[in-house]
Amino acid sequence: MTESNFSLKKIEISVSEAEKRTGRNAMNMQETYTAYLIETRSVEHSDGQSVLTDSLWRRCSAFEWLRNYLLVYYPHIVVPPLPEKRAEFVWHKLSADNMDPDFVERRRIGLENFLLRLASHPILCRDKIFYLFLTQEGNWKETVNETGFQLKADSRLKALNATFRVKNPDKRFIELKHYSDELQSVISHLLRVRARVADRLYGVYKVHGNYGRVFSEWSAIEKEMGDGLQSAGHHMDV
């Protein structure tokens, strides 16, 4: 759904804040989630006057809803990815706490980059649903549902399943599928190796952090070596 009378290239977009909130989900159960403040401001104005900044709050599920819609309606376009929803690695120290300030800040930056990439795309920047995502706080999901994108997504899955029933598939596509499967396997293995290396590196950092604390406490009881020990502890912390 595109409109020719507006373009998000003429709007400044930022995700400026993150806020922890509590509400009820679809199962009427209480949950804690993070909402993000999206601010938009027009770059151009016809009479030269300053334009007030518009703002609204969106939770992570709304960003996912937007991306799923774009994937369905623009299958020929590579839609930018969303940042990770939870920390998956030990060295992040956030695997059990998605409300950690460092993780929330990284996700805030990732969500802002996601919106900026959409707004800079020559086609996606003119999509009406994307525009309403930035400007319409209430009933936005109802507007998306009215586009029927979920039914279209189901029909795409049926069409995809039909391709697997081809009796004489093109050998080129078979070779390409084998190559992509092998590439996926290699990349998965590489990521597992990276996770193990990063986990060990995090362990080294943790040990050095303990050394820094020990040297700092040691400097408090040493008279002649106090300054040197304190300096060593500082370097260990760094």
Side-chain angles (χ1 to χ4, degrees):
M1 298 177 62
T2 59
E3 295 283 345
S4 58
N5 61 342
F6 66 83
S7 173
L8 293 179
K9 287 186 176 181
K10 300 177 182 179
I11 296 179
E12 291 182 352
I13 304 172
S14 65
V15 180
S16 57
E17 294 181 30
E19 181 179 276
K20 182 179 178 181
R21 294 185 177 184
T22 302
R24 296 204 173 264
N25 57 23
M27 303 296 293
N28 200 29
M29 299 178 63
Q30 190 170 358
E31 64 174 350
T32 301
Y33 61 91
T34 303
Y36 296 87
L37 180 63
I38 302 174
E39 295 184 337
T40 56
R41 184 172 67 87
S42 177
V43 177
E44 300 177 357
H45 201 268
S46 57
D47 56 6
Q49 297 179 357
S50 60
V51 181
L52 296 177
T53 301
D54 293 326
S55 62
L56 51 79
W57 292 89
R58 296 285 189 202
R59 56 184 300 179
C60 294
S61 58
F63 285 87
E64 295 174 355
W65 201 261
L66 171 64
R67 187 172 188 272
N68 290 337
Y69 157 80
L70 295 174
L71 287 173
V72 171
Y73 269 89
Y74 302 94
H76 58 289
I77 295 176
V78 179
V79 180
L82 288 169
E84 58 191 5
K85 194 170 184 177
R86 59 182 59 85
E88 300 177 352
F89 302 113
V90 175
W91 69 89
H92 283 166
K93 300 180 292 184
L94 305 174
S95 57
D97 185 10
N98 294 330
M99 299 297 173
D100 183 279
D102 291 337
F103 174 74
V104 171
E105 175 63 13
R106 285 201 306 273
R107 184 158 177 81
R108 181 196 67 79
I109 295 173
L111 293 174
E112 181 175 286
N113 290 334
F114 169 73
L115 295 180
L116 292 176
R117 291 182 65 182
L118 293 181
S120 64
H121 194 279
I123 297 178
L124 299 181
C125 73
R126 298 181 180 276
D127 184 84
K128 182 179 179 181
I129 296 299
F130 180 31
Y131 178 79
L132 294 177
F133 177 84
L134 300 173
T135 58
Q136 177 182 317
E137 187 161 14
N139 300 323
W140 177 78
K141 279 193 174 182
E142 288 75 5
T143 304
V144 180
N145 282 329
E146 291 174 359
T147 64
F149 87 99
Q150 288 183 312
L151 293 176
K152 193 170 183 179
D154 293 339
S155 64
R156 283 184 60 193
L157 287 176
K158 292 179 181 178
L160 183 63
N161 291 332
T163 61
F164 291 106
R165 296 194 295 269
V166 177
K167 294 182 179 179
N168 299 313
D170 194 314
K171 291 183 179 180
R172 294 174 299 173
F173 293 108
I174 296 179
E175 293 175 356
L176 183 60
K177 184 179 184 304
H178 289 333
Y179 171 77
S180 61
D181 290 341
E182 184 179 356
L183 180 61
Q184 180 183 10
S185 176
V186 171
I187 292 178
S188 299
H189 178 70
L190 181 62
L191 290 176
R192 287 195 295 270
V193 173
R194 174 180 178 268
R196 290 196 295 268
V197 171
D199 192 18
R200 294 179 183 179
L201 187 60
Y202 170 62
V204 173
Y205 289 156
K206 195 172 182 180
V207 170
H208 278 74
N210 291 332
Y211 280 141
R213 177 177 55 81
V214 170
F215 277 115
S216 297
E217 293 177 356
W218 190 5
S219 66
I221 59 176
E222 288 286 349
K223 295 182 180 180
E224 297 181 358
M225 301 172 56
D227 292 340
L229 291 172
Q230 188 174 12
S231 178
H234 172 73
H235 286 293
M236 286 291 185
D237 288 335
V238 172

